[in-house]
Amino acid sequence: MADDDFLSSRLFVDEALTDGGALTLTDAPANYLRNVMRVAPGQALLLFNGRDGEWAGRVEAVEKKRVQVAVERRTREQSPPTGVDYLFAPLKHARLDYMVQKAAEMGAGRLRPVLTRRTQATRVNLERMRANVIEAAEQCGVLAVPEVLDPEPLDRALARWPEALPLVFCDEAAEQADPMAALRPIAAGPLAVLIGPEGGFDPAERTALLRLPGVTRISLGPRILRADTAAVAALALVQAARDGAPPPN
């Protein structure tokens, strides 16, 4: 990441990006460039769409309802999906915004809201979540933009859990004192991380979790963390374990 360009403006686009291509941006992207970034003709920027890598572009024209951008050259190849599913009980308003943004920054590949028995916020604004994911990706140099899935009840997700996908269950009662020791054996491949709601899991949910094959319980320390803080702590541990893990066979 040391060679990446974090000074130029980065913009997520839906359109395909190709050598010598041209984009006509309207609606939200055009409004962002024109009224927030206040771009002018000739200004350079970086473009990405989560599929084609990162591309250098240049503003050609700024009009009332659209911005014309020339695509010049690829600056970074597309990175693969991270293979990390992040499951979480939705929170309310600003705290959910924060958690979603941090999950995107910390390497989550898919965001999966799950409704537990103690979930306080049962209505999820998926468009707002996706907007927060894109904003985090734009600001942090992320190319593999996390996918945002529809919410589902936790018991339904557990009932059809694939045996080949390890599940990291953040549990304050975990016996393993060293979370890194628990994560290293599973960190190299795809895995999922689950953070519960405020107030923790219902006893029946905890029992269902512990019955799953391949579940790994980790502790996030001696203090009780808020759910949004726990998300950052857990994903940071997973990222550190993956960085130090040998590649899968």
Side-chain angles (χ1 to χ4, degrees), residues 83 85 161-169 185-187 189-193 213-216:
D85 283 14
W161 193 264
E163 291 189 14
L165 183 64
L167 175 61
V168 177
F169 163 34
I186 62 172
L191 57 82
V193 179
V215 68
T216 297

Side-chain angles (χ1 to χ4, degrees), residues 6 10 32 48 101 105 133-142:
F6 290 105
R10 298 182 78 244
Y32 175 75
F48 69 107
Q101 291 169 359
E105 293 176 30
V133 162
I134 289 171
E135 180 181 349
E138 288 176 336
Q139 294 178 355
C140 297
V142 173

Side-chain angles (χ1 to χ4, degrees), residues 20-21 41 55 76 91 134-135 141 147 164 170-171 186 224-225 246 249:
W55 292 71
R76 282 196 288 163
L91 303 174
I134 289 171
E135 180 181 349
E147 181 183 5
C170 297
D171 182 7
I186 62 172
I224 301 298
L225 304 180
N249 296 328

